[in-house]
Structures are given as C-alpha cells and as structure tokens.
Amino acid sequence: MGCCYSRENENTEQDPDVYKPLIPHPNPDSKPLNSTEWSSGSVPSARTDEQALLTSILFKTALNIIDVSAADSQGMEQHEYMDKARQYSVKLALLSNSLSQKKPLPLPSLTSQPHQVLASDLVPYSDVQQVSKMAAYAYSAISQIKVDAKEELVVQFAIP
Amino acid sequence: MESTLELHLDDTMKNPAIIGVLCTDQQGHILGCRGSLSDEHGGVVSVLARQVASLTKDPTDSPTVCLESDSGNILVRAHGTITVAVHKMSS
C-alpha cells in the first residue's frame, strides 16, 4: 500500500503527539533472531569475513522486523484512541478543503437524451461515402504541397 | 500550394447540411478547418482515427468513426497520412 501524501519538513511547533508512532519500536537494541556465537579463533579468515557479512545482514533485517508477538501489550486507552481519531479527522478536513479544487473535470456529455440519439436512424451510408470521397480529395490536394527546389542548397565558394 | 485544399474545404462547406470540416496530419497538426470544427479538435480527431485503425486487420481498410449527438454527426476518416472530420447535421 502506498503513500498518498507526505512531506519532509514538518514544522515542529505542532503537537508532537501527532507524530508519535502508534506501535513503539520493540527492542531497538535486540540481537539477531537466532543469535549464535561463532568462535572466530579457530576458523580461517575467509570464513570469518563471510560470517561477519551474514551476521551484519541478519542484524539489519532484524532491525526492520516488527515482531508482533513479542511486543508488549501496551494498548491505547479508549479515550486516547478517540482523541487521536478526532485529531486526524480535523487535519483531513482542513487538507481536503484545500485539495478539493484539484478535482479533474468531468467528461462533457454529447446529449441529454441518449435513448433518443441511439434510437434515431443510423448514419446514412451516403454520408459515409461522401466523407471518404472528401478524404481522398483532400489527400490529393495535400500532395500538391511539396518543396519546390529552385536553387542548389550547397554552393562552392570560388576563391579568385 | 495549399490553395487546392482551401478550395476543397470551401466547396465542402457549401453543402447546407455540413456545418464544420477539419483536416489534420497524423500528429494532429491542423492543415485546414472550417465552421464548427477548429484548432482545438485536431488532436482528438487524429488520435481517434489512429486508434480505430487497430480495429481491423486489413491495413488498407480505414474505418469511419461516427460520433452521433443531438447536434448532428461528426464523421472522422483517415486517408493515407491525413485525417478528415466532417460535422454534418442529421437530415
């Protein structure tokens, strides 16, 4: 799911509670999930590098994982939740007033009585033939528009 | 050099049922227009004609698009590299 609206430089004098995350980051200093200790003394150096790389990858992944089961169940009170919801809806209302002017224009309608237009006679074939004749004639008229070369474009400069 | 085309458009408008005519190239550049069809319709007309060509497998067959409304029909047809649109009142 993507982001509809975001901004980098928020002014900080606004209520800081608005920006507080709803789920606090669990165990920011946690070790990797399966924290195994490798004794680096006895293994060759190439192996150690690879394992160090693996460890670092594991560590970075663990930082990004939100372990829902391990998070302490410090839920919000009902009144806190209602307060936040009200704050957000007020903000949304403010924003939607300014954004509503950018609505796309609706398609223009060809007719107010579509059933009448649909039920009327078909476009007569003579009209279609007339238009195709017009198109052919216009095409031949256009082909008369062409470059009329009167002089050479490239000339030699004669140095006397 | 465009006098032949201009004359042809004027002749077309002499027909009392025809209230607009437009001629564009494949990019929507207007080559000539009269009456109810003007510069701003060039893009739409050329794109309609180009899209409708994909309805038929035969490359030499160019279908005619008819836009029917209360105020007459607009018939759009391509011929070679140009597209012609005619706004005609329904009789």
Side-chain angles (χ1 to χ4, degrees):
Chain A
M1 296 191 242
C3 168
C4 289
Y5 176 74
S6 69
R7 210 161 22 150
E8 275 293 335
N9 45 347
E10 280 292 348
N11 42 356
T12 49
E13 64 243 19
Q14 283 177 1
D15 186 9
D17 268 352
V18 174
Y19 301 101
K20 204 169 59 158
L22 287 171
I23 304 175
H25 190 94
N27 304 331
D29 308 317
S30 65
K31 283 194 193 160
L33 290 177
N34 45 342
S35 53
T36 47
E37 308 285 343
W38 286 289
S39 56
S40 55
S42 53
V43 295
S45 57
R47 206 93 190 275
T48 319
D49 285 344
E50 193 185 306
Q51 281 168 354
L53 205 61
L54 284 172
T55 324
S56 69
I57 293 173
L58 219 57
F59 187 61
K60 280 183 207 154
T61 318
L63 279 181
N64 291 332
I65 287 178
I66 301 176
D67 191 359
V68 184
S69 56
D72 47 347
S73 57
Q74 166 243 317
M76 288 170 73
E77 320 266 305
Q78 173 76 355
H79 69 272
E80 272 184 37
Y81 170 76
M82 297 298 285
D83 276 343
K84 279 223 160 175
R86 205 172 338 115
Q87 252 178 343
Y88 291 158
S89 59
V90 161
K91 274 233 136 157
L92 270 177
L94 277 171
L95 284 174
S96 67
N97 284 342
S98 57
L99 285 177
S100 62
Q101 289 122 26
K102 296 178 193 159
K103 253 185 255 179
L105 294 167
L107 284 176
S109 64
L110 277 178
T111 172
S112 54
Q113 295 175 317
H115 49 276
Q116 189 179 344
V117 175
L118 284 168
S120 62
D121 294 337
L122 292 174
V123 175
Y125 192 59
S126 58
D127 282 359
V128 177
Q129 280 178 316
Q130 190 182 21
V131 170
S132 60
K133 241 196 300 192
M134 261 185 245
Y137 203 94
Y139 183 67
S140 67
I142 293 285
S143 60
Q144 294 187 10
I145 301 176
K146 57 182 184 288
V147 175
D148 190 14
K150 289 210 164 66
E151 297 175 347
E152 287 283 332
L153 276 176
V154 180
V155 295
Q156 297 285 348
F157 278 121
I159 300 173
Chain B
M1 283 185 224
E2 69 278 9
S3 55
T4 317
L5 176 67
E6 298 288 321
L7 208 63
H8 173 56
L9 291 175
D10 288 331
D11 284 342
T12 310
M13 288 300 287
K14 283 186 187 144
N15 186 333
I18 294 182
I19 54 176
V21 65
L22 176 79
C23 196
T24 81
D25 72 350
Q26 282 176 326
Q27 268 84 39
H29 167 66
I30 303 281
L31 299 166
C33 63
R34 299 279 188 277
S36 59
L37 296 174
S38 58
D39 288 347
E40 62 212 3
H41 308 120
V44 171
V45 160
S46 64
V47 167
L48 266 180
R50 199 158 10 124
Q51 293 297 325
V52 87
S54 53
L55 280 178
T56 167
K57 288 206 184 107
D58 185 1
T60 57
D61 179 22
S62 66
T64 309
V65 179
C66 303
L67 300 169
E68 301 180 37
S69 78
D70 295 338
S71 57
N73 304 328
I74 301 180
L75 293 111
V76 179
R77 190 188 165 99
H79 194 289
T81 53
I82 64 156
T83 304
V84 168
V86 175
H87 189 176
K88 187 164 180 169
M89 294 305 292
S90 31
S91 44

